[in-house]
Amino acid sequence: MDQINENLEQIIPSPEEMLTRLKQIDVQQFNIDLVANQLKGNYIWVSILTIPVSALVLVVVTLLGSFIYDQPIVSFLLAAGLLFWVSKMLEFQERNFKFKARQEVMRRIAETEGSFGLIPHFKHFLPNKYRHLWQSVRKGKYHYIEQYVQAVLLLQNKLEPEKFRHIWYLTYPETDPDYVPSLEEQAL
């Protein structure tokens, strides 16, 4: 039985470890737009040059159609249709990058939470509007990315470490250095 208690104590971190983990979180790693730009890599030029190239293609095709076929309206409509089709393809690609970025951020949150969790243990210090967040995170669902970032920033800036330690030792008395097990616990 002592083996189980020792394993349990090794699994449960100290409040200082939890506070350190909280302070070490860089919320910029959860920015979906930055992650999407990182995923785009060499393809970022596509989104930068889309409008100038589209305008240039529209003008060139319209002018060519006007001079060659003497049909400026038809050539303009064909160029606009072609650009619309290409823009839909680019929009799909952009949504694909956003989706992949969101999945990557959710993976990073899961990695930050770890097996023991982080945010659910700070639930006493979060306003009620974050209740759905810590319940979801506790269940392993990380889709509340914006709220997660807000909660981490709130905790990093407003948390009083001494109050957290007090709650931690009430929740996990076996981690308290001043803890003396009762006779019933010693018997187990």
Side-chain angles (χ1 to χ4, degrees), residues 78-164:
L78 286 174
L82 175 69
L83 289 176
F84 179 77
W85 179 69
V86 170
S87 71
K88 285 298 178 184
M89 288 179 17
L90 291 174
E91 182 182 334
F92 174 76
Q93 191 67 19
E94 187 72 25
R95 270 191 267 134
N96 195 17
F97 279 124
K98 286 279 190 187
F99 178 76
K100 287 180 182 178
R102 187 167 181 78
Q103 295 297 329
E104 174 63 19
V105 169
M106 288 170 58
R107 186 195 62 76
R108 289 179 184 181
I109 291 174
E111 189 176 284
T112 299
E113 284 294 311
S115 60
F116 189 71
L118 186 69
I119 291 293
H121 297 290
F122 290 94
K123 67 184 176 187
H124 302 289
F125 302 96
L126 290 171
N128 284 336
K129 71 178 186 177
Y130 293 105
R131 182 171 181 224
H132 63 281
L133 168 71
W134 62 261
Q135 288 176 340
S136 296
V137 168
R138 188 181 65 211
K139 293 176 185 175
K141 299 176 183 172
Y142 307 108
H143 50 275
Y144 294 112
I145 296 170
E146 293 81 14
Q147 291 86 355
Y148 187 85
V149 170
Q150 291 170 358
V152 168
L153 287 173
L154 178 71
L155 290 169
Q156 285 177 341
N157 295 326
K158 304 284 184 183
L159 181 69
E160 295 179 28
E162 196 53 46
K163 287 184 180 180
F164 174 72

Side-chain angles (χ1 to χ4, degrees), residues 26-78:
D26 177 24
V27 293
Q28 287 302 314
Q29 70 176 333
F30 305 131
N31 187 331
I32 294 175
D33 294 329
L34 288 176
V35 173
N37 285 338
Q38 290 172 352
L39 289 175
K40 286 179 189 176
N42 293 334
Y43 297 107
I44 198 156
W45 61 270
V46 173
S47 58
I48 294 171
L49 293 177
T50 301
I51 293 176
V53 169
S54 297
L56 185 65
V57 167
L58 187 62
V59 168
V60 168
V61 170
T62 303
L63 288 176
L64 283 175
S66 296
F67 291 131
I68 295 174
Y69 299 109
D70 199 27
Q71 297 288 327
I73 295 174
V74 173
S75 61
F76 175 80
L77 291 175
L78 286 174

